[in-house]
PDB file of all heavy atoms in Angstrom:
ATOM      1  N   CYS A 306     -17.823 126.737-177.524  1.00 91.00           N
ATOM      2  CA  CYS A 306     -19.209 127.188-177.800  1.00 91.00           C
ATOM      3  C   CYS A 306     -19.240 128.713-177.850  1.00 91.00           C
ATOM      4  O   CYS A 306     -20.312 129.276-178.121  1.00 91.00           O
ATOM      5  CB  CYS A 306     -20.235 126.611-176.791  1.00 91.00           C
ATOM      6  SG  CYS A 306     -20.227 127.533-175.182  1.00 91.00           S
ATOM      7  N   GLY A 307     -18.192 129.379-177.428  1.00 93.00           N
ATOM      8  CA  GLY A 307     -18.229 130.828-177.462  1.00 93.00           C
ATOM      9  C   GLY A 307     -18.460 131.524-176.140  1.00 93.00           C
ATOM     10  O   GLY A 307     -18.527 132.725-176.074  1.00 93.00           O
ATOM     11  N   LYS A 308     -18.747 130.686-175.074  1.00 95.00           N
ATOM     12  CA  LYS A 308     -18.955 131.331-173.781  1.00 95.00           C
ATOM     13  C   LYS A 308     -17.723 131.192-172.899  1.00 95.00           C
ATOM     14  O   LYS A 308     -16.849 130.373-173.239  1.00 95.00           O
ATOM     15  CB  LYS A 308     -20.200 130.751-173.164  1.00 95.00           C
ATOM     16  CG  LYS A 308     -21.477 130.910-173.911  1.00 95.00           C
ATOM     17  CD  LYS A 308     -22.718 130.442-173.103  1.00 95.00           C
ATOM     18  CE  LYS A 308     -22.664 129.002-172.766  1.00 95.00           C
ATOM     19  NZ  LYS A 308     -23.012 128.682-171.436  1.00 95.00           N
ATOM     20  N   ILE A 309     -17.729 131.883-171.845  1.00 95.00           N
ATOM     21  CA  ILE A 309     -16.645 131.760-170.913  1.00 95.00           C
ATOM     22  C   ILE A 309     -17.014 130.947-169.704  1.00 95.00           C
ATOM     23  O   ILE A 309     -18.079 131.136-169.080  1.00 95.00           O
ATOM     24  CB  ILE A 309     -16.106 133.121-170.431  1.00 95.00           C
ATOM     25  CG1 ILE A 309     -15.306 133.753-171.602  1.00 95.00           C
ATOM     26  CG2 ILE A 309     -15.195 133.045-169.146  1.00 95.00           C
ATOM     27  CD1 ILE A 309     -14.870 135.152-171.398  1.00 95.00           C
ATOM     28  N   GLY A 310     -16.181 129.943-169.232  1.00 94.00           N
ATOM     29  CA  GLY A 310     -16.373 129.258-167.983  1.00 94.00           C
ATOM     30  C   GLY A 310     -17.320 128.100-168.022  1.00 94.00           C
ATOM     31  O   GLY A 310     -17.807 127.717-166.938  1.00 94.00           O
ATOM     32  N   CYS A 311     -17.590 127.527-169.158  1.00 95.00           N
ATOM     33  CA  CYS A 311     -18.417 126.338-169.195  1.00 95.00           C
ATOM     34  C   CYS A 311     -17.715 125.156-168.430  1.00 95.00           C
ATOM     35  O   CYS A 311     -16.557 124.935-168.650  1.00 95.00           O
ATOM     36  CB  CYS A 311     -18.578 125.909-170.649  1.00 95.00           C
ATOM     37  SG  CYS A 311     -19.635 127.005-171.625  1.00 95.00           S
ATOM     38  N   LEU A 312     -18.512 124.372-167.760  1.00 95.00           N
ATOM     39  CA  LEU A 312     -17.999 123.241-167.013  1.00 95.00           C
ATOM     40  C   LEU A 312     -17.139 122.354-167.850  1.00 95.00           C
ATOM     41  O   LEU A 312     -16.103 121.809-167.496  1.00 95.00           O
ATOM     42  CB  LEU A 312     -19.252 122.453-166.477  1.00 95.00           C
ATOM     43  CG  LEU A 312     -18.969 121.147-165.685  1.00 95.00           C
ATOM     44  CD1 LEU A 312     -18.127 121.386-164.541  1.00 95.00           C
ATOM     45  CD2 LEU A 312     -20.244 120.544-165.318  1.00 95.00           C
ATOM     46  N   GLN A 313     -17.696 122.132-169.083  1.00 92.00           N
ATOM     47  CA  GLN A 313     -17.010 121.340-170.150  1.00 92.00           C
ATOM     48  C   GLN A 313     -15.504 121.605-170.242  1.00 92.00           C
ATOM     49  O   GLN A 313     -14.666 120.795-170.340  1.00 92.00           O
ATOM     50  CB  GLN A 313     -17.646 121.777-171.457  1.00 92.00           C
ATOM     51  CG  GLN A 313     -17.266 120.917-172.639  1.00 92.00           C
ATOM     52  CD  GLN A 313     -18.414 120.021-172.980  1.00 92.00           C
ATOM     53  OE1 GLN A 313     -19.088 119.390-172.140  1.00 92.00           O
ATOM     54  NE2 GLN A 313     -18.563 119.869-174.256  1.00 92.00           N
ATOM     55  N   THR A 314     -15.145 122.904-170.140  1.00 92.00           N
ATOM     56  CA  THR A 314     -13.743 123.332-170.416  1.00 92.00           C
ATOM     57  C   THR A 314     -12.834 122.839-169.272  1.00 92.00           C
ATOM     58  O   THR A 314     -11.585 122.889-169.401  1.00 92.00           O
ATOM     59  CB  THR A 314     -13.606 124.870-170.525  1.00 92.00           C
ATOM     60  OG1 THR A 314     -14.079 125.483-169.318  1.00 92.00           O
ATOM     61  CG2 THR A 314     -14.292 125.405-171.760  1.00 92.00           C
ATOM     62  N   TYR A 315     -13.361 122.398-168.167  1.00 92.00           N
ATOM     63  CA  TYR A 315     -12.539 121.976-167.009  1.00 92.00           C
ATOM     64  C   TYR A 315     -12.414 120.472-166.898  1.00 92.00           C
ATOM     65  O   TYR A 315     -11.576 120.004-166.194  1.00 92.00           O
ATOM     66  CB  TYR A 315     -12.968 122.594-165.683  1.00 92.00           C
ATOM     67  CG  TYR A 315     -12.975 124.092-165.729  1.00 92.00           C
ATOM     68  CD1 TYR A 315     -14.057 124.855-166.047  1.00 92.00           C
ATOM     69  CD2 TYR A 315     -11.764 124.753-165.421  1.00 92.00           C
ATOM     70  CE1 TYR A 315     -14.003 126.170-166.160  1.00 92.00           C
ATOM     71  CE2 TYR A 315     -11.693 126.096-165.540  1.00 92.00           C
ATOM     72  CZ  TYR A 315     -12.779 126.836-165.825  1.00 92.00           C
ATOM     73  OH  TYR A 315     -12.701 128.198-165.958  1.00 92.00           O
ATOM     74  N   ILE A 316     -13.234 119.760-167.536  1.00 93.00           N
ATOM     75  CA  ILE A 316     -13.452 118.343-167.166  1.00 93.00           C
ATOM     76  C   ILE A 316     -13.590 117.400-168.299  1.00 93.00           C
ATOM     77  O   ILE A 316     -13.428 116.221-168.144  1.00 93.00           O
ATOM     78  CB  ILE A 316     -14.533 118.263-166.149  1.00 93.00           C
ATOM     79  CG1 ILE A 316     -14.269 117.084-165.251  1.00 93.00           C
ATOM     80  CG2 ILE A 316     -15.882 118.265-166.814  1.00 93.00           C
ATOM     81  CD1 ILE A 316     -15.193 117.117-164.111  1.00 93.00           C
ATOM     82  N   ALA A 317     -13.862 117.914-169.534  1.00 92.00           N
ATOM     83  CA  ALA A 317     -14.014 116.978-170.584  1.00 92.00           C
ATOM     84  C   ALA A 317     -12.590 116.411-170.923  1.00 92.00           C
ATOM     85  O   ALA A 317     -11.566 117.043-170.732  1.00 92.00           O
ATOM     86  CB  ALA A 317     -14.505 117.672-171.899  1.00 92.00           C
ATOM     87  N   GLU A 318     -12.589 115.146-171.468  1.00 91.00           N
ATOM     88  CA  GLU A 318     -11.369 114.404-171.717  1.00 91.00           C
ATOM     89  C   GLU A 318     -10.394 115.295-172.568  1.00 91.00           C
ATOM     90  O   GLU A 318      -9.238 115.398-172.182  1.00 91.00           O
ATOM     91  CB  GLU A 318     -11.716 113.209-172.489  1.00 91.00           C
ATOM     92  CG  GLU A 318     -10.819 111.993-172.259  1.00 91.00           C
ATOM     93  CD  GLU A 318     -11.367 110.718-172.814  1.00 91.00           C
ATOM     94  OE1 GLU A 318     -12.507 110.303-172.425  1.00 91.00           O
ATOM     95  OE2 GLU A 318     -10.730 110.140-173.680  1.00 91.00           O
ATOM     96  N   SER A 319     -10.892 115.901-173.608  1.00 90.00           N
ATOM     97  CA  SER A 319      -9.995 116.681-174.452  1.00 90.00           C
ATOM     98  C   SER A 319      -9.422 117.869-173.780  1.00 90.00           C
ATOM     99  O   SER A 319      -8.248 118.285-174.034  1.00 90.00           O
ATOM    100  CB  SER A 319     -10.752 117.073-175.786  1.00 90.00           C
ATOM    101  OG  SER A 319     -11.838 117.872-175.364  1.00 90.00           O
ATOM    102  N   SER A 320     -10.209 118.420-172.863  1.00 92.00           N
ATOM    103  CA  SER A 320      -9.694 119.624-172.089  1.00 92.00           C
ATOM    104  C   SER A 320      -8.584 119.150-171.204  1.00 92.00           C
ATOM    105  O   SER A 320      -7.537 119.914-171.132  1.00 92.00           O
ATOM    106  CB  SER A 320     -10.747 120.235-171.226  1.00 92.00           C
ATOM    107  OG  SER A 320     -11.926 120.541-171.973  1.00 92.00           O
ATOM    108  N   LEU A 321      -8.683 118.050-170.471  1.00 95.00           N
ATOM    109  CA  LEU A 321      -7.614 117.586-169.661  1.00 95.00           C
ATOM    110  C   LEU A 321      -6.352 117.276-170.468  1.00 95.00           C
ATOM    111  O   LEU A 321      -5.235 117.613-169.996  1.00 95.00           O
ATOM    112  CB  LEU A 321      -8.081 116.331-168.867  1.00 95.00           C
ATOM    113  CG  LEU A 321      -9.281 116.511-167.922  1.00 95.00           C
ATOM    114  CD1 LEU A 321      -9.776 115.243-167.291  1.00 95.00           C
ATOM    115  CD2 LEU A 321      -8.987 117.590-166.836  1.00 95.00           C
ATOM    116  N   ILE A 322      -6.553 116.641-171.582  1.00 95.00           N
ATOM    117  CA  ILE A 322      -5.399 116.326-172.442  1.00 95.00           C
ATOM    118  C   ILE A 322      -4.727 117.601-172.950  1.00 95.00           C
ATOM    119  O   ILE A 322      -3.456 117.710-173.004  1.00 95.00           O
ATOM    120  CB  ILE A 322      -5.813 115.367-173.540  1.00 95.00           C
ATOM    121  CG1 ILE A 322      -6.170 113.974-172.870  1.00 95.00           C
ATOM    122  CG2 ILE A 322      -4.666 115.238-174.552  1.00 95.00           C
ATOM    123  CD1 ILE A 322      -6.805 113.011-173.864  1.00 95.00           C
ATOM    124  N   SER A 323      -5.535 118.553-173.362  1.00 93.00           N
ATOM    125  CA  SER A 323      -4.902 119.817-173.858  1.00 93.00           C
ATOM    126  C   SER A 323      -4.246 120.559-172.765  1.00 93.00           C
ATOM    127  O   SER A 323      -3.205 121.213-173.051  1.00 93.00           O
ATOM    128  CB  SER A 323      -5.931 120.605-174.693  1.00 93.00           C
ATOM    129  OG  SER A 323      -6.349 121.706-173.987  1.00 93.00           O
ATOM    130  N   GLU A 324      -4.737 120.558-171.531  1.00 93.00           N
ATOM    131  CA  GLU A 324      -4.020 121.127-170.464  1.00 93.00           C
ATOM    132  C   GLU A 324      -2.692 120.455-170.279  1.00 93.00           C
ATOM    133  O   GLU A 324      -1.616 121.101-170.104  1.00 93.00           O
ATOM    134  CB  GLU A 324      -4.872 121.049-169.174  1.00 93.00           C
ATOM    135  CG  GLU A 324      -6.085 121.980-169.058  1.00 93.00           C
ATOM    136  CD  GLU A 324      -5.749 123.424-168.924  1.00 93.00           C
ATOM    137  OE1 GLU A 324      -5.463 123.906-167.773  1.00 93.00           O
ATOM    138  OE2 GLU A 324      -5.730 124.084-169.926  1.00 93.00           O
ATOM    139  N   ALA A 325      -2.694 119.106-170.210  1.00 96.00           N
ATOM    140  CA  ALA A 325      -1.464 118.382-170.022  1.00 96.00           C
ATOM    141  C   ALA A 325      -0.425 118.662-171.048  1.00 96.00           C
ATOM    142  O   ALA A 325       0.837 118.753-170.759  1.00 96.00           O
ATOM    143  CB  ALA A 325      -1.850 116.861-170.056  1.00 96.00           C
ATOM    144  N   ASN A 326      -0.899 118.954-172.281  1.00 97.00           N
ATOM    145  CA  ASN A 326       0.026 119.229-173.396  1.00 97.00           C
ATOM    146  C   ASN A 326       0.775 120.604-173.206  1.00 97.00           C
ATOM    147  O   ASN A 326       1.806 120.769-173.874  1.00 97.00           O
ATOM    148  CB  ASN A 326      -0.660 119.198-174.680  1.00 97.00           C
ATOM    149  CG  ASN A 326      -0.626 117.788-175.275  1.00 97.00           C
ATOM    150  OD1 ASN A 326       0.343 117.356-175.874  1.00 97.00           O
ATOM    151  ND2 ASN A 326      -1.643 116.962-174.990  1.00 97.00           N
ATOM    152  N   LYS A 327       0.294 121.381-172.294  1.00 96.00           N
ATOM    153  CA  LYS A 327       1.108 122.582-172.027  1.00 96.00           C
ATOM    154  C   LYS A 327       2.340 122.251-171.309  1.00 96.00           C
ATOM    155  O   LYS A 327       3.341 123.050-171.293  1.00 96.00           O
ATOM    156  CB  LYS A 327       0.253 123.535-171.153  1.00 96.00           C
ATOM    157  CG  LYS A 327      -0.948 124.141-171.844  1.00 96.00           C
ATOM    158  CD  LYS A 327      -1.721 125.025-170.909  1.00 96.00           C
ATOM    159  CE  LYS A 327      -3.037 125.587-171.542  1.00 96.00           C
ATOM    160  NZ  LYS A 327      -3.908 126.219-170.589  1.00 96.00           N
ATOM    161  N   VAL A 328       2.416 121.082-170.624  1.00 96.00           N
ATOM    162  CA  VAL A 328       3.628 120.668-169.899  1.00 96.00           C
ATOM    163  C   VAL A 328       4.390 119.627-170.636  1.00 96.00           C
ATOM    164  O   VAL A 328       5.598 119.756-170.783  1.00 96.00           O
ATOM    165  CB  VAL A 328       3.196 120.041-168.550  1.00 96.00           C
ATOM    166  CG1 VAL A 328       4.374 119.703-167.707  1.00 96.00           C
ATOM    167  CG2 VAL A 328       2.254 120.980-167.746  1.00 96.00           C
TER     168      VAL A 328
END
Side-chain angles (χ1 to χ4, degrees):
Chain A
C306 80
K308 298 191 295 138
I309 286 173
C311 292
L312 176 60
Q313 189 105 321
T314 58
Y315 297 95
I316 206 171
E318 213 170 298
S319 59
S320 309
L321 297 177
I322 291 170
S323 106
E324 288 289 278
N326 271 277
K327 292 178 184 169
V328 183

